[in-house]
Amino acid sequence: MNEILRIRGGEKLEGEVLVSGSKNSVLPILAASLVVKGRFFLRNVPNITDVYFMISLLEKLGIEVSWLPNNTLFLRNNGLKSNDIRYSYANEVRSSVLLLAGVLNKFGSASIMLPGGDKIGPRPINYHLAFFKKLGFEYKIHEGYVEVHKVKSEPKKLRLRFPFPSVGATQQSIIYSSSSNITVNLENCAVEPEIIDLIHFLKGCGADIEVLNRTIKIRGKELLANDYVFDLPGDRIEFLTFTLLGALIGRKVTVSGVQRWRVNNVLKKLQKLGVQIKSVDDQSIEIKETRKLNNFRIVASPYPGFPTDLQPMMAVLGSKVESRGVLKDNVFPTRFAYLEELKKFGINYKLLKNGCMILRSTTLIPAQVRALDIRTGAALVLAGLTAKGESEILDSYHLRRGYDSIDIKIRNLGGSIYFIDTALDEIKIF
Ligand code: UD1
């Protein structure tokens, strides 16, 4: 299906939105199902294509997965049947690389497509491979895929310091170590809330994991689930996407479904910039349109820093800045390709070394643009809803990868936004 997103912007939004379960929590937890024997349930699973892709991969590897009502997934692991993860859609979802942990843990060898995912700059997996190398594995990179196999017995204990707090490499190492026979000390880890969620899930299956600042200590053991039920928390990036939407064009928008500690780092920053945010309870806030944002300098960095995933959307709110706002990204320093698309809405910017400067642009104009990845897609939605008139977003499938029912949620707030099948649209016109 060739789908676009059509938006009629310019309406002020009002009402309440309840965000869905966290994409970046559910994907690693699904990957961790490979190392947990038995049956378990995941509740509050978001309906997004990245989850569907991941489920297909799990099924190929021998996990039984079924959808139950109310966004619940049932999973049963009675043993894996394959160590080959070379499916074309494996490189669609970045998190598929996390399947390496479970497969290597069970078979001692694996072949996996080199991961794809968002086009947000280089996304190597050398830290993941360095971890496996320390455990006695060797790897060979082929055209499009990597082969990993055990050549030496593993040490009893391992200490590893990551060069940078990588979310993926931290998750990979936790999943592998938690069901191994060794004790692992990981230093300079990423500690994003989604990593804490993975640890909670694994602990519920018996894992022995301690977290102290950026150090994570894991004593490996057999992991079992006996009809274990795990509730996925709300998606903090989706929560913050709607927060920024409220700050752009909200008459009064209530966003709920995420515990405050997960988003406080960003909410405090936004309040400092003049965004009107009122706390309703621990899981909800109320936001109104911000007329003028204070000049800012935001540097995206590992949690608890400003999330890199929110950086493209911040550029849209940045158009309301008093005179100028600087955006930099320490996590993905070249994540600024989206600015070319935002420019079509009349957002003014200047490129800086590893960053940009957003200049005040009072009125946005409608545009036809292309989503480059999930978060660029979200930034374009924010700009399209702000610009008065009809905008179109091509390659809108990226939004379906990471946002559950974004169109319906926005329509419930009074916005006009529809996924259109372009083939059908043509039939309608002629
Ligand atoms: C995850 C998130 C993504 C988010 C990102 C940063 C998922 C599915 N994705 O991506 O939404 O934008 O965290 O919060 O949860 N690096 C290396 N070598 C490696 C691994 C990483 O050099 O082996 C570098 C990367 O190029 C990047 C930085 O480390 O510059 C951080 O990457 P990482 O935290 O691993 O991002 P992802 O796990 O891919």
Side-chain angles (χ1 to χ4, degrees):
M1 187 161 64
N2 204 355
E3 225 181 31
I4 62 164
L5 197 53
R6 189 168 292 156
I7 298 174
R8 189 171 290 282
E11 291 297 324
K12 298 288 176 221
L13 303 185
E14 188 164 1
E16 191 172 338
V17 58
L18 175 65
V19 306
S20 301
S22 165
K23 162 186 166 291
N24 287 352
S25 296
V26 72
L27 295 172
I29 289 174
L30 286 174
S33 70
L34 300 185
V35 298
V36 177
K37 269 272 166 88
R39 302 150 44 105
F40 66 91
F41 297 85
L42 295 179
R43 295 198 295 205
N44 200 26
V45 177
N47 247 303
I48 50 176
T49 44
D50 271 15
V51 166
Y52 307 155
F53 279 132
M54 197 66 163
I55 291 174
S56 306
L57 291 167
L58 291 181
E59 286 174 335
K60 301 261 186 217
L61 296 173
I63 306 284
E64 185 189 327
V65 189
S66 30
W67 281 101
L68 302 176
N70 299 325
N71 292 64
T72 302
L73 270 184
F74 167 78
L75 291 102
R76 190 204 313 254
N77 177 352
N78 285 333
L80 305 188
K81 60 179 190 205
S82 167
N83 68 345
D84 193 347
I85 325 168
R86 284 174 299 164
Y87 296 98
S88 58
Y89 48 86
N91 75 4
E92 292 289 323
V93 185
R94 168 79 186 169
S95 298
S96 63
V97 73
L98 299 179
L99 296 170
L100 254 186
V103 173
L104 288 179
N105 198 300
K106 299 300 162 202
F107 294 102
S109 66
S111 296
I112 189 165
M113 299 289 285
L114 283 165
D118 292 345
K119 289 167 192 63
I120 59 182
R123 295 183 90 176
I125 57 164
N126 54 327
Y127 304 165
H128 304 235
L129 295 172
F131 167 76
F132 290 122
K133 199 151 191 219
K134 279 224 164 191
L135 289 171
F137 290 91
E138 282 295 346
Y139 58 84
K140 204 167 166 200
I141 297 186
H142 301 271
E143 183 69 33
Y145 74 100
V146 56
E147 216 182 316
V148 188
H149 57 273
K150 186 127 215 195
V151 289
K152 281 192 263 177
S153 55
E154 47 191 34
K156 282 262 160 301
K157 280 187 175 177
L158 171 71
R159 192 183 142 260
L160 178 88
R161 187 175 174 82
F162 293 112
F164 185 87
S166 151
V167 173
T170 304
Q171 290 165 335
Q172 184 85 278
S173 312
I174 291 173
I175 297 173
Y176 184 92
S177 312
S178 60
S179 77
S180 67
N181 296 316
I182 54 174
T183 299
V184 178
N185 248 301
L186 302 169
E187 294 170 11
N188 200 26
C189 291
V191 288
E192 265 65 3
E194 294 75 23
I195 290 185
I196 305 304
D197 296 334
L198 172 67
I199 292 174
H200 278 157
F201 167 78
L202 289 167
K203 279 186 156 185
C205 304
D208 182 348
I209 307 175
E210 283 166 49
V211 184
L212 185 68
N213 302 321
R214 288 199 181 275
T215 299
I216 301 181
K217 183 169 183 175
I218 306 147
R219 291 183 199 85
K221 56 199 283 223
E222 200 182 3
L223 303 183
L224 284 174
N226 188 7
D227 284 342
Y228 173 49
V229 179
F230 186 81
D231 285 309
L232 282 154
D235 191 306
R236 68 185 168 111
I237 302 297
E238 186 189 355
F239 185 97
L240 294 167
T241 301
F242 279 100
T243 303
L244 294 184
L245 183 59
L248 278 161
I249 49 168
R251 189 166 287 131
K252 190 166 104 180
V253 174
T254 306
V255 190
S256 37
V258 173
Q259 298 147 307
R260 187 61 43 81
W261 70 268
R262 295 172 184 267
V263 283
N264 239 345
N265 55 338
V266 177
L267 296 184
K268 284 196 171 141
K269 180 95 196 167
L270 293 176
Q271 279 172 323
K272 263 198 192 151
L273 298 184
V275 178
Q276 297 182 57
I277 298 173
K278 208 171 96 189
S279 171
V280 177
D281 57 39
D282 182 56
Q283 305 238 5
S284 316
I285 55 168
E286 198 182 277
I287 316 113
K288 286 188 183 148
E289 180 181 346
T290 310
R291 300 247 172 240
K292 203 185 267 177
L293 202 68
N294 298 334
N295 289 343
F296 62 86
R297 183 186 158 81
I298 288 177
V299 184
S301 50
Y303 185 85
F306 193 90
T308 169
D309 282 352
L310 208 65
Q311 187 261 101
M313 291 168 249
M314 193 59 211
V316 183
L317 185 63
S319 64
K320 293 199 172 205
V321 74
E322 204 176 332
S323 57
R324 58 194 57 195
V326 171
L327 279 173
K328 296 225 163 190
D329 197 326
N330 273 350
V331 182
F332 295 107
T334 57
R335 190 179 196 167
F336 292 96
Y338 67 85
L339 287 166
E340 272 296 301
E341 297 304 302
L342 286 187
K343 192 174 161 185
K344 298 176 187 159
F345 288 106
I347 292 182
N348 291 322
Y349 67 90
K350 278 188 194 148
L351 278 180
L352 307 173
K353 188 167 180 275
N354 289 341
C356 67
M357 183 185 283
I358 305 289
L359 306 168
R360 183 169 174 81
S361 11
T362 37
T363 321
L364 301 195
I365 45 169
Q368 195 189 54
V369 287
R370 190 175 293 279
L372 308 173
D373 57 63
I374 301 176
R375 307 305 170 188
T376 304
L380 298 177
V381 167
L382 299 192
L385 286 164
T386 307
K388 197 170 166 33
E390 192 170 285
S391 291
E392 282 183 347
I393 303 180
L394 311 182
D395 288 347
S396 58
Y397 67 88
H398 283 295
L399 283 148
R400 290 200 189 274
R401 287 184 44 211
Y403 285 89
D404 183 346
S405 317
I406 190 167
D407 51 337
I408 298 171
K409 286 170 180 159
I410 293 172
R411 287 204 296 273
N412 285 343
L413 296 175
S416 170
I417 174 168
Y418 293 90
F419 282 103
I420 308 274
D421 180 334
T422 43
L424 286 179
D425 202 30
E426 268 179 38
I427 292 167
K428 253 194 259 160
I429 293 167
F430 299 108

